[in-house]
Each structure stands twice: as structure tokens, then as C-alpha cells.
Amino acid sequence: MEEIAGTGSDTPLAVDDIEAFKQAFRRHAAGVAAVTSVMTDGTPVGFTATSLASLAAVPPLATFNMSSVSSAWPAMTVGNYVAIHMLGPQTRHLAEKMAADHSERFVGDHWSPGPHGVPVLSDVTAWMVGRIVEVHPVHNNAVVVVQIETGALGAEDEALLYHERRYLKPGEPV
Amino acid sequence: MEEIAGTGSDTPLAVDDIEAFKQAFRRHAAGVAAVTSVMTDGTPVGFTATSLASLAAVPPLATFNMSSVSSAWPAMTVGNYVAIHMLGPQTRHLAEKMAADHSERFVGDHWSPGPHGVPVLSDVTAWMVGRIVEVHPVHNNAVVVVQIETGALGAEDEALLYHERRYLKPGEPV
């Protein structure tokens, strides 16, 4: 095995170790979702997320991680609402749109206002709107916990994956 | 679109809505990881996780979600260590082993003690050992934040995915 980091608990990790952490995560595939919200002044915000996870089914809770330098960060306050969209190969363009320059993300007819004024993206395989119940900042990032309140299933599509810096669809069972 | 839940913010979700939340998450694919740790009495614990996500690269932080009724829960204390393993099709058996009855998970020669006594699973594509820096219980579940301190890359393998209750490998680019 190739050692990627060997520091003790009190030693800051060097740049090489951080690159190695990234290499390890490149061996992990992730599902792709899009998170949207709305600022108090009505401005829609959103971003593509590869960290979406279910936390509980009863009550329905989901989590995602984000950077606190994201343009969407000011909307991530407890009590505000977000929409979480499951993407598929047919909505790969939404993943790219929500990762584009933030001034471009809501230019177009690919969304409409949904519950609580939160932008709902069109043609997704599923969307859910929920209330932010916890925000845990850690360094320049944060874990956001959302309690889902409503949503809908869209057209059937495969799941969309992000792996080794590419968008993929799921392959064969193993 | 098929409405999956239409409750207001003050209305508890009904069983049907929770089933719908699960249906939405079934349209999301996830990478598969295995998390291990060690109890204060030396007992190894672990579980298969589909919620592993990167939180930050600088410092290297990862998160996973878990049930607080898991056999591994007593080890999830701030300051204790965990190992996070990236799995692939060649280590699908580890995903199954770490999801089996908890008394069976460390019976065999598929692991050895690693840094801080934490069990390191054999033949994984990457493993990282880190210190638990935050634990956020939410209802009967928790978000765990880990700061990675060491690790290694293993043999090349594809990523392992979990989608629609099956293990898969990644497919074609889209």
C-alpha cells in the first residue's frame, strides 16, 4: 500500500497529505443532487451537491455538506427552507447549471417557485422541500440538516453519479 | 408528477409520506464505505455506510450518518478514532460483512488492528483513520464529523455503489 499520510495527531497535515485525502475520496463515487433555497430578499440560490445523505426516515431527515463561502450560504439559516432535487442522466444539465457561475444558475426557464418560494428545478426524478433544522459550521464548511415536509416524484430516470471528476450512470450489479 | 407529501410545516408526516421519502432516496445512488472503531474495552465495531461525504479538504474532514441504536454507537465519542474504508466490487464481501449481525462482523481474518487500535479492513481501495471531532445527535440518528490524520491507498478497483437495494459498479459517462 502507498502511504498517504503518517502524521501524529498533533501534526498538521501537509499539502501532500491533503492531496492524498482527495485521492482517497476520488475512489468513492457519489450520487448527484441539487440544493436550492431563497434569500430573505427573494433571490434564488443553489448549488450541486455530492454529499446528500439520508439521516432518518422517521422523521424524514436529510443532510448535505457545503462551503460557507458558497453564494447560497446566507440562505442556510435554521427555519429557512430548501429544495433537494435528485438528478439523473436526463438532468445532467441541471448539475452543470447549479455548478456554473452563481449569477447564471437561475437564468432560464429550468425552474419555478415552489413551496415557501423555494426554487424547484424542472424534470428532476424527485424533489423534496424541507425546513433547515440544524446548521453545524466546521472550519469553512458546514453540515446542514433538513427535515423534509413535502415533495414529488418525477419521471423515471437512472441515477446520476459523480466519480473521478466525471458524471456517470450506474452500471452492472456486482 | 406524483405528489409524495403535501403536509404543512406543522403537520406530522404520515406513514405514506415517509414511504415516499424513502422512494425519493431510492432514486439517489450512493457510494459504499465501511466505518470501524474500537470500544474502550477493546471490542471492534463497525458498519457499512452509504452516507460518507467529504466536508473539507483543508483540514481533511469527512462526515457520515448513523443510527444511535447501532452496535457501533458507544464508540462514537469525540476524541475516539475511526477508520473509514472505500470499498469496490472486489471488496463487496466487506460491505456485506459489516452489514451482517454485529457479532459476526469481526470474525475472520479480513481485518487487523491499525493506528490507535482501530480495525483496518484488508484489500480496500483506500482507508483513512481520523479522530471524531463532532457528534450531532438528531432524533435516533447522528451526524459524525471526523478529522482524517492518516491513511493509505490500496489496490486499484472500481467504486462500489448502492442503488435500488443492489450493489453496482459505475457505468458509462453521461
Side-chain angles (χ1 to χ4, degrees), chain A residues 3-14:
Chain A
E3 194 76 5
I4 60 171
T7 58
S9 59
D10 298 318
T11 311
L13 290 177

Side-chain angles (χ1 to χ4, degrees), chain B residues 111-126:
Chain B
W111 66 283
S112 57
H116 305 284
V118 173
V120 172
L121 303 178
S122 306
D123 303 323
V124 295
T125 60

Side-chain angles (χ1 to χ4, degrees), chain A residues 2 4-5 7 13 23 27 29 31 55-56 60 63 65 92 125 136 141 148-151 153-154 167 169 171-172 174, chain B residues 2 4-5 7 13 23 27 29 31 55-56 60 63 65 92 125 136 141 148-151 153-154 167 169 171-172 174:
Chain A
E2 178 191 351
I4 60 171
T7 58
L13 290 177
Q23 280 179 23
R27 296 190 169 195
L55 177 63
T63 62
N65 298 344
R92 180 205 154 130
T125 59
H136 299 291
N141 296 274
I148 302 303
E149 295 185 354
T150 186
L153 296 177
Y167 290 107
K169 57 185 181 182
E172 296 300 307
V174 295
Chain B
E2 177 191 351
I4 58 171
T7 57
L13 291 176
Q23 280 179 22
R27 297 190 168 195
L55 176 63
T63 62
N65 298 344
R92 181 205 153 132
T125 60
H136 298 292
N141 297 273
I148 302 303
E149 295 186 355
T150 187
L153 296 178
Y167 290 107
K169 58 185 180 182
E172 294 301 308
V174 294

Side-chain angles (χ1 to χ4, degrees), chain B residues 94-117:
Chain B
L94 295 175
E96 292 172 332
K97 191 84 172 171
M98 289 295 137
D101 185 89
H102 67 87
S103 66
E104 299 293 325
R105 292 179 191 175
F106 293 91
V107 177
D109 59 359
H110 58 290
W111 66 283
S112 57
H116 305 284

Side-chain angles (χ1 to χ4, degrees), chain A residues 35 37 45 47 64 66 72-78 80 82 132 135 144:
Chain A
V35 177
S37 188
V45 292
F47 58 95
F64 56 83
M66 66 180 299
W73 175 245
M76 298 298 144
T77 54
V78 170
N80 198 16
V82 299
I132 298 172
V135 178
V144 180

